[in-house]
Amino acid sequence: MKKALVIIGLSILAVSCDKTAEVKEVKTAYIDTSVLMKEYTEAKDLEAKYKAQAEEKGRQLQAEINRFKQDAQNFQSQAQANGQQWAQQRGAELQKREQQLGYAQQQLSQQLQQESGVEMDSLVSGVKKFIKEYGKKNGYSYIYGTGDAATVLYAEDKYDITKEIIKALNDKYKAAPKTEEKPAVKEEAKK
């Protein structure tokens, strides 16, 4: 009886060992997302576009701020000569103007953030879609992301496909037809 149990046990062990040999290898990799966004040409172009817009709109606002500062300096030198009533009235006007300039700065900042945020969200969505397609095409079971929003605490360097993804994304971006808006932004930057 003991021999029969040993033979059955060995038979089960032999059958189960054969089944574990059939387990498919899981192909994984990771991408350093912070490096990806720094080196991806479309992301660089998007950043340059909004930096140029911020500088252009900022120059206009800065000119108004400079005029305000000059008026404030003039106010201080003329306050004693023109009397207290004039100083109170003119001081209130300058204070109101200062608030308006503060609101204008805040509004400009929010507008640029909102506009760039929409385009950046679209870019990130496109990158995620590209990585998903890349993973399927190249037989990956998992592709993890590291960087600023790390989802991987450790991975061997041999699994890093960041450079491959950057090259593939940049090649796709270069091959895509350019819209009219992008050359116009570059022409404005040259002026």
Side-chain angles (χ1 to χ4, degrees), residues 31-67:
I31 298 168
D32 188 330
T33 55
S34 60
V35 171
L36 173 69
M37 295 311 282
K38 286 178 189 169
E39 295 184 19
Y40 180 29
T41 306
E42 186 175 2
K44 289 179 189 178
D45 288 351
L46 189 62
E47 183 180 338
K49 172 185 171 183
Y50 282 99
K51 184 177 179 181
Q53 278 187 8
E55 288 173 359
E56 176 62 32
K57 291 178 180 180
R59 274 193 295 269
Q60 296 166 357
L61 188 58
Q62 189 60 45
E64 185 63 31
I65 290 170
N66 290 341
R67 282 192 294 274

PDB file of all heavy atoms in Angstrom, residues 31-67:
ATOM      1  N   ILE A  31       9.576  52.705 -18.670  1.00  0.00           N
ATOM      2  CA  ILE A  31       9.926  53.958 -19.343  1.00  0.00           C
ATOM      3  C   ILE A  31      10.083  55.020 -18.268  1.00  0.00           C
ATOM      4  O   ILE A  31       9.220  55.163 -17.400  1.00  0.00           O
ATOM      5  CB  ILE A  31       8.824  54.384 -20.331  1.00  0.00           C
ATOM      6  CG1 ILE A  31       8.650  53.342 -21.421  1.00  0.00           C
ATOM      7  CG2 ILE A  31       9.130  55.751 -20.933  1.00  0.00           C
ATOM      8  CD1 ILE A  31       7.409  53.536 -22.250  1.00  0.00           C
ATOM      9  N   ASP A  32      11.174  55.774 -18.332  1.00  0.00           N
ATOM     10  CA  ASP A  32      11.360  56.909 -17.430  1.00  0.00           C
ATOM     11  C   ASP A  32      10.555  58.067 -18.026  1.00  0.00           C
ATOM     12  O   ASP A  32      10.979  58.719 -18.976  1.00  0.00           O
ATOM     13  CB  ASP A  32      12.840  57.260 -17.306  1.00  0.00           C
ATOM     14  CG  ASP A  32      13.099  58.305 -16.238  1.00  0.00           C
ATOM     15  OD1 ASP A  32      12.200  59.144 -15.996  1.00  0.00           O
ATOM     16  OD2 ASP A  32      14.198  58.295 -15.664  1.00  0.00           O
ATOM     17  N   THR A  33       9.398  58.315 -17.463  1.00  0.00           N
ATOM     18  CA  THR A  33       8.476  59.301 -18.037  1.00  0.00           C
ATOM     19  C   THR A  33       9.013  60.727 -17.975  1.00  0.00           C
ATOM     20  O   THR A  33       8.705  61.534 -18.851  1.00  0.00           O
ATOM     21  CB  THR A  33       7.104  59.225 -17.342  1.00  0.00           C
ATOM     22  OG1 THR A  33       7.277  59.368 -15.934  1.00  0.00           O
ATOM     23  CG2 THR A  33       6.416  57.902 -17.641  1.00  0.00           C
ATOM     24  N   SER A  34       9.806  61.046 -16.971  1.00  0.00           N
ATOM     25  CA  SER A  34      10.356  62.400 -16.906  1.00  0.00           C
ATOM     26  C   SER A  34      11.369  62.619 -18.029  1.00  0.00           C
ATOM     27  O   SER A  34      11.393  63.683 -18.651  1.00  0.00           O
ATOM     28  CB  SER A  34      10.971  62.697 -15.542  1.00  0.00           C
ATOM     29  OG  SER A  34      12.023  61.806 -15.250  1.00  0.00           O
ATOM     30  N   VAL A  35      12.189  61.612 -18.327  1.00  0.00           N
ATOM     31  CA  VAL A  35      13.137  61.707 -19.450  1.00  0.00           C
ATOM     32  C   VAL A  35      12.365  61.766 -20.766  1.00  0.00           C
ATOM     33  O   VAL A  35      12.696  62.553 -21.657  1.00  0.00           O
ATOM     34  CB  VAL A  35      14.125  60.513 -19.448  1.00  0.00           C
ATOM     35  CG1 VAL A  35      14.965  60.493 -20.714  1.00  0.00           C
ATOM     36  CG2 VAL A  35      15.022  60.568 -18.220  1.00  0.00           C
ATOM     37  N   LEU A  36      11.334  60.956 -20.872  1.00  0.00           N
ATOM     38  CA  LEU A  36      10.518  60.929 -22.090  1.00  0.00           C
ATOM     39  C   LEU A  36       9.968  62.320 -22.402  1.00  0.00           C
ATOM     40  O   LEU A  36      10.100  62.809 -23.521  1.00  0.00           O
ATOM     41  CB  LEU A  36       9.364  59.940 -21.931  1.00  0.00           C
ATOM     42  CG  LEU A  36       8.326  59.906 -23.053  1.00  0.00           C
ATOM     43  CD1 LEU A  36       8.935  59.340 -24.324  1.00  0.00           C
ATOM     44  CD2 LEU A  36       7.123  59.082 -22.641  1.00  0.00           C
ATOM     45  N   MET A  37       9.399  62.987 -21.406  1.00  0.00           N
ATOM     46  CA  MET A  37       8.799  64.295 -21.654  1.00  0.00           C
ATOM     47  C   MET A  37       9.843  65.376 -21.906  1.00  0.00           C
ATOM     48  O   MET A  37       9.563  66.359 -22.582  1.00  0.00           O
ATOM     49  CB  MET A  37       7.885  64.694 -20.492  1.00  0.00           C
ATOM     50  CG  MET A  37       6.670  63.774 -20.355  1.00  0.00           C
ATOM     51  SD  MET A  37       5.764  63.471 -21.894  1.00  0.00           S
ATOM     52  CE  MET A  37       4.856  64.977 -22.035  1.00  0.00           C
ATOM     53  N   LYS A  38      11.070  65.199 -21.398  1.00  0.00           N
ATOM     54  CA  LYS A  38      12.137  66.169 -21.648  1.00  0.00           C
ATOM     55  C   LYS A  38      12.712  66.016 -23.054  1.00  0.00           C
ATOM     56  O   LYS A  38      13.157  66.992 -23.653  1.00  0.00           O
ATOM     57  CB  LYS A  38      13.266  66.004 -20.628  1.00  0.00           C
ATOM     58  CG  LYS A  38      12.933  66.517 -19.261  1.00  0.00           C
ATOM     59  CD  LYS A  38      14.080  66.273 -18.299  1.00  0.00           C
ATOM     60  CE  LYS A  38      13.672  66.573 -16.873  1.00  0.00           C
ATOM     61  NZ  LYS A  38      14.668  66.110 -15.904  1.00  0.00           N
ATOM     62  N   GLU A  39      12.720  64.804 -23.571  1.00  0.00           N
ATOM     63  CA  GLU A  39      13.387  64.553 -24.840  1.00  0.00           C
ATOM     64  C   GLU A  39      12.436  64.359 -26.021  1.00  0.00           C
ATOM     65  O   GLU A  39      12.886  64.271 -27.157  1.00  0.00           O
ATOM     66  CB  GLU A  39      14.309  63.336 -24.701  1.00  0.00           C
ATOM     67  CG  GLU A  39      15.439  63.595 -23.720  1.00  0.00           C
ATOM     68  CD  GLU A  39      16.431  62.450 -23.638  1.00  0.00           C
ATOM     69  OE1 GLU A  39      16.469  61.612 -24.566  1.00  0.00           O
ATOM     70  OE2 GLU A  39      17.172  62.403 -22.643  1.00  0.00           O
ATOM     71  N   TYR A  40      11.147  64.314 -25.780  1.00  0.00           N
ATOM     72  CA  TYR A  40      10.168  64.140 -26.849  1.00  0.00           C
ATOM     73  C   TYR A  40      10.005  65.474 -27.576  1.00  0.00           C
ATOM     74  O   TYR A  40       9.658  66.490 -26.977  1.00  0.00           O
ATOM     75  CB  TYR A  40       8.851  63.641 -26.261  1.00  0.00           C
ATOM     76  CG  TYR A  40       7.738  63.416 -27.258  1.00  0.00           C
ATOM     77  CD1 TYR A  40       7.981  63.071 -28.581  1.00  0.00           C
ATOM     78  CD2 TYR A  40       6.420  63.521 -26.853  1.00  0.00           C
ATOM     79  CE1 TYR A  40       6.943  62.865 -29.472  1.00  0.00           C
ATOM     80  CE2 TYR A  40       5.375  63.306 -27.732  1.00  0.00           C
ATOM     81  CZ  TYR A  40       5.644  62.978 -29.037  1.00  0.00           C
ATOM     82  OH  TYR A  40       4.601  62.776 -29.921  1.00  0.00           O
ATOM     83  N   THR A  41      10.260  65.484 -28.859  1.00  0.00           N
ATOM     84  CA  THR A  41      10.274  66.707 -29.663  1.00  0.00           C
ATOM     85  C   THR A  41       8.942  67.455 -29.601  1.00  0.00           C
ATOM     86  O   THR A  41       8.926  68.683 -29.489  1.00  0.00           O
ATOM     87  CB  THR A  41      10.629  66.381 -31.129  1.00  0.00           C
ATOM     88  OG1 THR A  41      11.866  65.658 -31.139  1.00  0.00           O
ATOM     89  CG2 THR A  41      10.771  67.636 -31.957  1.00  0.00           C
ATOM     90  N   GLU A  42       7.832  66.764 -29.676  1.00  0.00           N
ATOM     91  CA  GLU A  42       6.536  67.440 -29.640  1.00  0.00           C
ATOM     92  C   GLU A  42       6.329  68.148 -28.299  1.00  0.00           C
ATOM     93  O   GLU A  42       5.811  69.271 -28.250  1.00  0.00           O
ATOM     94  CB  GLU A  42       5.387  66.457 -29.890  1.00  0.00           C
ATOM     95  CG  GLU A  42       4.037  67.148 -30.004  1.00  0.00           C
ATOM     96  CD  GLU A  42       2.894  66.224 -30.365  1.00  0.00           C
ATOM     97  OE1 GLU A  42       3.087  65.003 -30.500  1.00  0.00           O
ATOM     98  OE2 GLU A  42       1.770  66.745 -30.530  1.00  0.00           O
ATOM     99  N   ALA A  43       6.763  67.522 -27.220  1.00  0.00           N
ATOM    100  CA  ALA A  43       6.647  68.162 -25.899  1.00  0.00           C
ATOM    101  C   ALA A  43       7.536  69.401 -25.834  1.00  0.00           C
ATOM    102  O   ALA A  43       7.136  70.436 -25.287  1.00  0.00           O
ATOM    103  CB  ALA A  43       7.016  67.175 -24.797  1.00  0.00           C
ATOM    104  N   LYS A  44       8.726  69.315 -26.400  1.00  0.00           N
ATOM    105  CA  LYS A  44       9.627  70.478 -26.436  1.00  0.00           C
ATOM    106  C   LYS A  44       9.012  71.611 -27.253  1.00  0.00           C
ATOM    107  O   LYS A  44       9.071  72.774 -26.867  1.00  0.00           O
ATOM    108  CB  LYS A  44      10.972  70.101 -27.055  1.00  0.00           C
ATOM    109  CG  LYS A  44      11.837  69.211 -26.202  1.00  0.00           C
ATOM    110  CD  LYS A  44      13.121  68.915 -26.960  1.00  0.00           C
ATOM    111  CE  LYS A  44      13.973  67.871 -26.333  1.00  0.00           C
ATOM    112  NZ  LYS A  44      15.168  67.577 -27.125  1.00  0.00           N
ATOM    113  N   ASP A  45       8.432  71.265 -28.408  1.00  0.00           N
ATOM    114  CA  ASP A  45       7.790  72.275 -29.259  1.00  0.00           C
ATOM    115  C   ASP A  45       6.621  72.946 -28.537  1.00  0.00           C
ATOM    116  O   ASP A  45       6.427  74.158 -28.629  1.00  0.00           O
ATOM    117  CB  ASP A  45       7.302  71.652 -30.569  1.00  0.00           C
ATOM    118  CG  ASP A  45       8.431  71.294 -31.511  1.00  0.00           C
ATOM    119  OD1 ASP A  45       9.595  71.669 -31.235  1.00  0.00           O
ATOM    120  OD2 ASP A  45       8.158  70.628 -32.537  1.00  0.00           O
ATOM    121  N   LEU A  46       5.846  72.149 -27.824  1.00  0.00           N
ATOM    122  CA  LEU A  46       4.698  72.677 -27.083  1.00  0.00           C
ATOM    123  C   LEU A  46       5.172  73.628 -25.983  1.00  0.00           C
ATOM    124  O   LEU A  46       4.623  74.719 -25.808  1.00  0.00           O
ATOM    125  CB  LEU A  46       3.898  71.514 -26.479  1.00  0.00           C
ATOM    126  CG  LEU A  46       2.564  71.842 -25.845  1.00  0.00           C
ATOM    127  CD1 LEU A  46       1.607  72.423 -26.883  1.00  0.00           C
ATOM    128  CD2 LEU A  46       1.961  70.592 -25.231  1.00  0.00           C
ATOM    129  N   GLU A  47       6.216  73.241 -25.285  1.00  0.00           N
ATOM    130  CA  GLU A  47       6.768  74.094 -24.231  1.00  0.00           C
ATOM    131  C   GLU A  47       7.294  75.407 -24.824  1.00  0.00           C
ATOM    132  O   GLU A  47       7.051  76.484 -24.277  1.00  0.00           O
ATOM    133  CB  GLU A  47       7.902  73.353 -23.514  1.00  0.00           C
ATOM    134  CG  GLU A  47       8.486  74.121 -22.359  1.00  0.00           C
ATOM    135  CD  GLU A  47       9.616  73.367 -21.665  1.00  0.00           C
ATOM    136  OE1 GLU A  47       9.700  72.136 -21.782  1.00  0.00           O
ATOM    137  OE2 GLU A  47      10.425  74.045 -20.998  1.00  0.00           O
ATOM    138  N   ALA A  48       7.998  75.320 -25.944  1.00  0.00           N
ATOM    139  CA  ALA A  48       8.542  76.521 -26.593  1.00  0.00           C
ATOM    140  C   ALA A  48       7.415  77.447 -27.060  1.00  0.00           C
ATOM    141  O   ALA A  48       7.518  78.673 -26.946  1.00  0.00           O
ATOM    142  CB  ALA A  48       9.431  76.128 -27.770  1.00  0.00           C
ATOM    143  N   LYS A  49       6.349  76.858 -27.570  1.00  0.00           N
ATOM    144  CA  LYS A  49       5.210  77.644 -28.047  1.00  0.00           C
ATOM    145  C   LYS A  49       4.617  78.485 -26.913  1.00  0.00           C
ATOM    146  O   LYS A  49       4.398  79.688 -27.068  1.00  0.00           O
ATOM    147  CB  LYS A  49       4.140  76.701 -28.610  1.00  0.00           C
ATOM    148  CG  LYS A  49       2.830  77.358 -28.957  1.00  0.00           C
ATOM    149  CD  LYS A  49       1.807  76.321 -29.378  1.00  0.00           C
ATOM    150  CE  LYS A  49       0.426  76.910 -29.529  1.00  0.00           C
ATOM    151  NZ  LYS A  49      -0.575  75.886 -29.864  1.00  0.00           N
ATOM    152  N   TYR A  50       4.391  77.865 -25.772  1.00  0.00           N
ATOM    153  CA  TYR A  50       3.777  78.591 -24.661  1.00  0.00           C
ATOM    154  C   TYR A  50       4.759  79.520 -23.968  1.00  0.00           C
ATOM    155  O   TYR A  50       4.366  80.541 -23.408  1.00  0.00           O
ATOM    156  CB  TYR A  50       3.083  77.629 -23.692  1.00  0.00           C
ATOM    157  CG  TYR A  50       1.768  77.201 -24.283  1.00  0.00           C
ATOM    158  CD1 TYR A  50       1.626  75.984 -24.930  1.00  0.00           C
ATOM    159  CD2 TYR A  50       0.678  78.063 -24.272  1.00  0.00           C
ATOM    160  CE1 TYR A  50       0.428  75.630 -25.525  1.00  0.00           C
ATOM    161  CE2 TYR A  50      -0.521  77.725 -24.859  1.00  0.00           C
ATOM    162  CZ  TYR A  50      -0.645  76.498 -25.488  1.00  0.00           C
ATOM    163  OH  TYR A  50      -1.825  76.159 -26.091  1.00  0.00           O
ATOM    164  N   LYS A  51       6.028  79.197 -24.026  1.00  0.00           N
ATOM    165  CA  LYS A  51       7.026  80.111 -23.475  1.00  0.00           C
ATOM    166  C   LYS A  51       7.054  81.387 -24.311  1.00  0.00           C
ATOM    167  O   LYS A  51       7.095  82.500 -23.770  1.00  0.00           O
ATOM    168  CB  LYS A  51       8.403  79.445 -23.479  1.00  0.00           C
ATOM    169  CG  LYS A  51       9.475  80.285 -22.829  1.00  0.00           C
ATOM    170  CD  LYS A  51      10.804  79.552 -22.784  1.00  0.00           C
ATOM    171  CE  LYS A  51      11.866  80.418 -22.144  1.00  0.00           C
ATOM    172  NZ  LYS A  51      13.165  79.764 -22.090  1.00  0.00           N
ATOM    173  N   ALA A  52       6.997  81.247 -25.645  1.00  0.00           N
ATOM    174  CA  ALA A  52       6.979  82.417 -26.536  1.00  0.00           C
ATOM    175  C   ALA A  52       5.716  83.246 -26.315  1.00  0.00           C
ATOM    176  O   ALA A  52       5.774  84.477 -26.269  1.00  0.00           O
ATOM    177  CB  ALA A  52       7.079  81.968 -27.989  1.00  0.00           C
ATOM    178  N   GLN A  53       4.576  82.573 -26.162  1.00  0.00           N
ATOM    179  CA  GLN A  53       3.322  83.295 -25.904  1.00  0.00           C
ATOM    180  C   GLN A  53       3.392  84.046 -24.579  1.00  0.00           C
ATOM    181  O   GLN A  53       2.949  85.194 -24.486  1.00  0.00           O
ATOM    182  CB  GLN A  53       2.137  82.323 -25.865  1.00  0.00           C
ATOM    183  CG  GLN A  53       1.605  81.944 -27.213  1.00  0.00           C
ATOM    184  CD  GLN A  53       0.330  81.126 -27.102  1.00  0.00           C
ATOM    185  OE1 GLN A  53      -0.249  80.965 -26.034  1.00  0.00           O
ATOM    186  NE2 GLN A  53      -0.112  80.582 -28.225  1.00  0.00           N
ATOM    187  N   ALA A  54       3.940  83.402 -23.558  1.00  0.00           N
ATOM    188  CA  ALA A  54       4.041  84.038 -22.243  1.00  0.00           C
ATOM    189  C   ALA A  54       4.951  85.260 -22.315  1.00  0.00           C
ATOM    190  O   ALA A  54       4.647  86.298 -21.716  1.00  0.00           O
ATOM    191  CB  ALA A  54       4.569  83.040 -21.216  1.00  0.00           C
ATOM    192  N   GLU A  55       6.045  85.142 -23.041  1.00  0.00           N
ATOM    193  CA  GLU A  55       6.958  86.275 -23.172  1.00  0.00           C
ATOM    194  C   GLU A  55       6.297  87.431 -23.916  1.00  0.00           C
ATOM    195  O   GLU A  55       6.422  88.589 -23.515  1.00  0.00           O
ATOM    196  CB  GLU A  55       8.246  85.846 -23.883  1.00  0.00           C
ATOM    197  CG  GLU A  55       9.143  84.976 -23.018  1.00  0.00           C
ATOM    198  CD  GLU A  55      10.328  84.413 -23.773  1.00  0.00           C
ATOM    199  OE1 GLU A  55      10.479  84.670 -24.994  1.00  0.00           O
ATOM    200  OE2 GLU A  55      11.115  83.695 -23.140  1.00  0.00           O
ATOM    201  N   GLU A  56       5.585  87.124 -24.999  1.00  0.00           N
ATOM    202  CA  GLU A  56       4.931  88.172 -25.787  1.00  0.00           C
ATOM    203  C   GLU A  56       3.854  88.885 -24.972  1.00  0.00           C
ATOM    204  O   GLU A  56       3.837  90.107 -24.878  1.00  0.00           O
ATOM    205  CB  GLU A  56       4.311  87.572 -27.056  1.00  0.00           C
ATOM    206  CG  GLU A  56       3.528  88.569 -27.891  1.00  0.00           C
ATOM    207  CD  GLU A  56       4.365  89.725 -28.422  1.00  0.00           C
ATOM    208  OE1 GLU A  56       5.560  89.518 -28.682  1.00  0.00           O
ATOM    209  OE2 GLU A  56       3.827  90.831 -28.575  1.00  0.00           O
ATOM    210  N   LYS A  57       2.980  88.110 -24.362  1.00  0.00           N
ATOM    211  CA  LYS A  57       1.906  88.718 -23.574  1.00  0.00           C
ATOM    212  C   LYS A  57       2.463  89.369 -22.312  1.00  0.00           C
ATOM    213  O   LYS A  57       1.931  90.368 -21.844  1.00  0.00           O
ATOM    214  CB  LYS A  57       0.851  87.667 -23.230  1.00  0.00           C
ATOM    215  CG  LYS A  57       0.080  87.208 -24.457  1.00  0.00           C
ATOM    216  CD  LYS A  57      -0.938  86.145 -24.148  1.00  0.00           C
ATOM    217  CE  LYS A  57      -1.684  85.733 -25.410  1.00  0.00           C
ATOM    218  NZ  LYS A  57      -2.686  84.702 -25.149  1.00  0.00           N
ATOM    219  N   GLY A  58       3.522  88.811 -21.783  1.00  0.00           N
ATOM    220  CA  GLY A  58       4.159  89.370 -20.597  1.00  0.00           C
ATOM    221  C   GLY A  58       4.806  90.713 -20.876  1.00  0.00           C
ATOM    222  O   GLY A  58       4.804  91.596 -20.004  1.00  0.00           O
ATOM    223  N   ARG A  59       5.359  90.879 -22.068  1.00  0.00           N
ATOM    224  CA  ARG A  59       5.962  92.169 -22.442  1.00  0.00           C
ATOM    225  C   ARG A  59       4.920  93.275 -22.438  1.00  0.00           C
ATOM    226  O   ARG A  59       5.171  94.381 -21.959  1.00  0.00           O
ATOM    227  CB  ARG A  59       6.625  92.087 -23.823  1.00  0.00           C
ATOM    228  CG  ARG A  59       8.048  91.583 -23.806  1.00  0.00           C
ATOM    229  CD  ARG A  59       8.726  91.828 -25.134  1.00  0.00           C
ATOM    230  NE  ARG A  59       8.145  91.077 -26.226  1.00  0.00           N
ATOM    231  CZ  ARG A  59       8.544  89.861 -26.599  1.00  0.00           C
ATOM    232  NH1 ARG A  59       9.525  89.274 -25.968  1.00  0.00           N
ATOM    233  NH2 ARG A  59       7.967  89.243 -27.604  1.00  0.00           N
ATOM    234  N   GLN A  60       3.762  92.990 -22.975  1.00  0.00           N
ATOM    235  CA  GLN A  60       2.695  93.983 -23.009  1.00  0.00           C
ATOM    236  C   GLN A  60       2.286  94.378 -21.587  1.00  0.00           C
ATOM    237  O   GLN A  60       2.137  95.561 -21.277  1.00  0.00           O
ATOM    238  CB  GLN A  60       1.476  93.432 -23.757  1.00  0.00           C
ATOM    239  CG  GLN A  60       1.737  93.138 -25.221  1.00  0.00           C
ATOM    240  CD  GLN A  60       0.637  92.291 -25.856  1.00  0.00           C
ATOM    241  OE1 GLN A  60      -0.298  91.873 -25.194  1.00  0.00           O
ATOM    242  NE2 GLN A  60       0.774  92.029 -27.157  1.00  0.00           N
ATOM    243  N   LEU A  61       2.125  93.394 -20.734  1.00  0.00           N
ATOM    244  CA  LEU A  61       1.735  93.661 -19.356  1.00  0.00           C
ATOM    245  C   LEU A  61       2.862  94.367 -18.601  1.00  0.00           C
ATOM    246  O   LEU A  61       2.612  95.274 -17.815  1.00  0.00           O
ATOM    247  CB  LEU A  61       1.350  92.356 -18.659  1.00  0.00           C
ATOM    248  CG  LEU A  61       0.748  92.473 -17.273  1.00  0.00           C
ATOM    249  CD1 LEU A  61      -0.515  93.340 -17.289  1.00  0.00           C
ATOM    250  CD2 LEU A  61       0.425  91.090 -16.723  1.00  0.00           C
ATOM    251  N   GLN A  62       4.096  93.985 -18.865  1.00  0.00           N
ATOM    252  CA  GLN A  62       5.233  94.607 -18.189  1.00  0.00           C
ATOM    253  C   GLN A  62       5.337  96.086 -18.542  1.00  0.00           C
ATOM    254  O   GLN A  62       5.683  96.901 -17.701  1.00  0.00           O
ATOM    255  CB  GLN A  62       6.535  93.875 -18.546  1.00  0.00           C
ATOM    256  CG  GLN A  62       7.722  94.314 -17.718  1.00  0.00           C
ATOM    257  CD  GLN A  62       7.525  94.076 -16.216  1.00  0.00           C
ATOM    258  OE1 GLN A  62       7.065  93.031 -15.798  1.00  0.00           O
ATOM    259  NE2 GLN A  62       7.878  95.066 -15.416  1.00  0.00           N
ATOM    260  N   ALA A  63       5.017  96.445 -19.767  1.00  0.00           N
ATOM    261  CA  ALA A  63       5.031  97.857 -20.165  1.00  0.00           C
ATOM    262  C   ALA A  63       4.021  98.645 -19.329  1.00  0.00           C
ATOM    263  O   ALA A  63       4.311  99.763 -18.862  1.00  0.00           O
ATOM    264  CB  ALA A  63       4.714  97.998 -21.651  1.00  0.00           C
ATOM    265  N   GLU A  64       2.864  98.070 -19.106  1.00  0.00           N
ATOM    266  CA  GLU A  64       1.836  98.724 -18.282  1.00  0.00           C
ATOM    267  C   GLU A  64       2.301  98.824 -16.824  1.00  0.00           C
ATOM    268  O   GLU A  64       2.080  99.850 -16.165  1.00  0.00           O
ATOM    269  CB  GLU A  64       0.522  97.952 -18.375  1.00  0.00           C
ATOM    270  CG  GLU A  64      -0.641  98.597 -17.652  1.00  0.00           C
ATOM    271  CD  GLU A  64      -1.049  99.958 -18.205  1.00  0.00           C
ATOM    272  OE1 GLU A  64      -0.891 100.201 -19.422  1.00  0.00           O
ATOM    273  OE2 GLU A  64      -1.515 100.797 -17.406  1.00  0.00           O
ATOM    274  N   ILE A  65       2.957  97.787 -16.340  1.00  0.00           N
ATOM    275  CA  ILE A  65       3.475  97.801 -14.964  1.00  0.00           C
ATOM    276  C   ILE A  65       4.538  98.885 -14.815  1.00  0.00           C
ATOM    277  O   ILE A  65       4.564  99.609 -13.811  1.00  0.00           O
ATOM    278  CB  ILE A  65       4.017  96.409 -14.570  1.00  0.00           C
ATOM    279  CG1 ILE A  65       2.860  95.428 -14.422  1.00  0.00           C
ATOM    280  CG2 ILE A  65       4.833  96.470 -13.288  1.00  0.00           C
ATOM    281  CD1 ILE A  65       3.275  93.973 -14.272  1.00  0.00           C
ATOM    282  N   ASN A  66       5.394  99.013 -15.799  1.00  0.00           N
ATOM    283  CA  ASN A  66       6.439 100.052 -15.759  1.00  0.00           C
ATOM    284  C   ASN A  66       5.832 101.453 -15.737  1.00  0.00           C
ATOM    285  O   ASN A  66       6.307 102.334 -15.018  1.00  0.00           O
ATOM    286  CB  ASN A  66       7.407  99.892 -16.931  1.00  0.00           C
ATOM    287  CG  ASN A  66       8.281  98.649 -16.780  1.00  0.00           C
ATOM    288  OD1 ASN A  66       8.438  98.109 -15.691  1.00  0.00           O
ATOM    289  ND2 ASN A  66       8.831  98.187 -17.894  1.00  0.00           N
ATOM    290  N   ARG A  67       4.777 101.664 -16.532  1.00  0.00           N
ATOM    291  CA  ARG A  67       4.083 102.963 -16.513  1.00  0.00           C
ATOM    292  C   ARG A  67       3.492 103.228 -15.126  1.00  0.00           C
ATOM    293  O   ARG A  67       3.551 104.350 -14.617  1.00  0.00           O
ATOM    294  CB  ARG A  67       2.985 103.010 -17.579  1.00  0.00           C
ATOM    295  CG  ARG A  67       3.503 103.262 -18.984  1.00  0.00           C
ATOM    296  CD  ARG A  67       2.378 103.593 -19.966  1.00  0.00           C
ATOM    297  NE  ARG A  67       1.470 102.476 -20.200  1.00  0.00           N
ATOM    298  CZ  ARG A  67       1.670 101.512 -21.104  1.00  0.00           C
ATOM    299  NH1 ARG A  67       2.742 101.533 -21.868  1.00  0.00           N
ATOM    300  NH2 ARG A  67       0.803 100.538 -21.261  1.00  0.00           N
TER     301      ARG A  67
END
